[in-house]
Amino acid sequence: MVDEQFGLDTVAAEQAVASVFEQIVAVLARRADAAIDDATLFRLANTLFAAFARAGEDGLTAEQIRAACAAFPDEVIDNRLSVLKKLGAIQPAFDKPYQREFRASFTSYVSMLFVQRMLARGGQSELHHLLTMEKIRLEGGEGTAEEALEVVVGVTTALRLLVAELVALTVGGTVEALRERAPLLWNAKSLIDQASAVHAILLKFWPELSRKCGELRSAIAAYEDASTNASARLMTAAGTTRALNLLPPEMWRRFARRATVDELAAVLADQVFDAPAPWHDIADLTEAVASRPQPTGSRSTPPRSRVPDGDEPPSQERSDAEAERLMGVAEEVLSGGDSVAIEQLLSGMDWVTARRVLADLVAASNNDQFGYRLAWSGPVQVQAGSVPSWLTPGVFERERRPA
């Protein structure tokens, strides 16, 4: 009778574990017996769990679930609901007949977050968390020998698998594959230090595990060697600059083909573009050009008549006409006043017109004979959707001459 009771308890415990496992893998299944391979189903799961979170303890009906996921095809929604219901990720909200409301499993959502983090970080961050928790649990020697043995075997196994993958990528894989799996190299020194600290605690409080600890030391040393060799190959492939961020052109092309619109836009998220402004004084530029040594050649320039060709006006007339045009633009902008704000002036203009006006004001400001000044102040203001979308506060004004 005792054996029968023990067997029933064991079966019940195993069934509970199987139930939780089904909830964990529910978000990964296309059907109840097959893993998903479509990112759309991940987005649908995110949308679905967000709708359940907003609904609270009342849950959602099947109609409300379909309304919340209306952006996805009906057949995809029906498939998701069938899989999640069968595996327990979605369960009846109340235990009563003719139940219409459902609630979502917390375990399923957390498991999805875990899987997404694993996909983004390659799993090494989980090993960091594991070592941190095991160190805290074992400090002071409060754990049992069985728990200590479980820790040393688990950490040794994880490190050996990590070493095997690194060695395969370094020795037999391509440089591109090694770069893509580079997250395995992140914080290698930190990971080695954490594993060594756990090893020291194990050996201090459970000396009977010295043989197993020797296997752990061997795994730590192998990981250090594998990380060093993989880093050396990446640095060699990067060239003499040893700059690991200098990726080959095919890597950039592959990123551009695979990236989403948001990922491509994020490349320029921290870039600010301002209006062109003179970097040097016009007089200094003129002097630099005039003082540049002229090349001497065997052929001399043919003589040119001083009489202008055809109807072409003399250069002085062209210069005077341009000066009159710039002064006319400046006076039209000022409208009889002494100053005008740039943001007020350019507001409402299309970009082509605004650029032309701004170029004329810069030219008028750079001419000392006109008596105008273009001054900028304040940080760049970026306003998406407006024209222009960026604007630096400034003022175009008449220069006050000393009396």
Side-chain angles (χ1 to χ4, degrees), residues 65-84:
I65 291 175
R66 289 187 175 87
C69 302
F72 299 90
D74 291 340
E75 61 272 14
V76 176
I77 299 175
D78 292 339
N79 172 269
R80 283 286 82 198
L81 290 178
S82 175
V83 171
L84 296 176

Side-chain angles (χ1 to χ4, degrees), residues 88-322:
I90 295 178
Q91 303 169 357
F94 306 100
D95 186 13
K96 61 181 182 181
Y98 310 107
Q99 176 59 243
R100 297 184 66 249
E101 290 80 15
F102 297 89
R103 60 177 177 82
S105 164
F106 166 77
T107 304
S108 296
Y109 181 65
V110 173
S111 68
M112 185 175 66
L113 298 180
F114 166 76
V115 171
Q116 289 175 332
R117 186 172 70 247
M118 290 283 287
L119 293 174
R121 301 182 183 178
Q124 200 202 60
S125 61
E126 307 307 320
L127 186 53
H128 278 281
H129 294 318
L130 172 64
L131 289 171
T132 301
M133 291 187 295
E134 297 298 359
K135 181 182 176 183
I136 295 174
R137 184 162 69 105
L138 297 176
E139 280 180 336
E142 297 179 358
T144 64
E146 289 76 14
E147 291 174 340
L149 178 61
E150 181 182 352
V151 170
V152 69
V153 171
V155 175
T156 302
T157 302
L159 286 175
R160 283 176 174 173
L161 291 173
L162 186 55
V163 168
E165 185 168 0
L166 273 176
V167 171
L169 287 170
T170 305
V171 177
T174 63
V175 175
E176 289 75 15
L178 185 58
R179 284 195 184 99
E180 290 182 356
R181 300 294 297 169
L184 295 174
L185 303 175
W186 291 343
N187 298 324
K189 179 63 167 60
S190 173
L191 189 60
I192 291 170
D193 291 342
Q194 285 182 294
S196 300
V198 171
H199 167 268
I201 295 174
L202 290 167
L203 200 57
K204 176 181 178 182
F205 292 103
W206 294 277
E208 64 273 17
L209 297 177
S210 58
R211 185 164 175 260
K212 291 293 184 180
C213 286
E215 296 178 4
L216 177 56
R217 286 196 303 273
S218 176
I220 294 173
Y223 173 67
E224 184 174 8
D225 291 342
S227 299
T228 302
N229 294 335
S231 299
R233 186 181 180 194
L234 282 177
M235 287 190 292
T236 301
T240 55
T241 60
R242 298 297 189 264
L244 295 181
N245 60 333
L246 297 180
L247 299 179
E250 58 269 17
M251 293 289 290
W252 293 109
R253 287 196 294 269
R254 183 156 58 247
F255 168 76
R257 288 195 299 267
R258 297 179 178 179
T260 63
V261 175
D262 292 338
E263 289 172 337
L264 290 173
V267 175
L268 299 177
D270 58 348
Q271 303 293 323
V272 178
F273 299 90
D274 201 354
W279 291 355
H280 303 282
D281 184 75
I282 189 65
D284 294 338
L285 291 176
T286 304
E287 182 181 357
V289 172
S291 60
R292 184 177 66 87
Q294 298 296 325
T296 57
S298 58
R299 299 180 59 183
S300 59
T301 304
R304 183 176 178 85
S305 173
R306 296 180 180 274
V307 179
D309 296 333
D311 298 332
E312 180 185 2
S315 59
Q316 182 61 38
E317 291 184 12
R318 291 199 302 272
S319 177
D320 292 344
E322 177 64 14

Side-chain angles (χ1 to χ4, degrees), residues 368-389:
D368 296 335
Q369 299 178 358
F370 289 173
Y372 303 113
R373 185 179 68 168
L374 183 60
W376 303 102
S377 63
V380 177
Q381 300 175 0
V382 181
Q383 299 178 354
S386 62
V387 179
S389 58

